[in-house]
């Protein structure tokens, strides 16, 4: 999947979720997804740091 396809796919998911969830549910989901992204970045950084040792 190329970059543009990813953006289209994510945009479609966002639109569908906004049709099904109320504002509070969307806010909680968005916060949880940001937290997931941060945790994945931390995991990647940890893996990279371990490779250098």
């Amino acid at each position: 999947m190329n970059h543009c396809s990813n953006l289209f796919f994510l945009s479609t998911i966002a639109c569908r979720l906004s049709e099904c969830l109320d504002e509070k549910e969307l806010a909680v989901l968005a916060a949880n997804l940001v937290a997931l992204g941060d945790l994945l970045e931390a995991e990647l950084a940890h893996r990279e740091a371990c490779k250098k040792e």
Side-chain angles (χ1 to χ4, degrees):
M1 204 182 290
N2 67 34
H3 180 67
C4 291
S5 295
N6 288 342
L7 292 176
F8 178 75
F9 182 65
L10 292 172
S11 176
T12 301
I13 291 172
C15 288
R16 295 291 185 232
L17 287 171
S18 70
E19 293 171 355
C20 300
L21 303 174
D22 64 30
E23 288 183 16
K24 287 183 181 181
E25 292 169 323
L26 278 173
V28 170
L29 178 59
N32 286 333
L33 291 174
V34 168
L36 175 61
D38 290 345
L39 290 168
L40 290 172
E41 284 186 56
E43 175 62 26
L44 289 171
H46 183 266
R47 287 182 184 186
E48 187 63 29
C50 290
K51 283 182 190 176
K52 293 178 180 178
E53 292 177 0

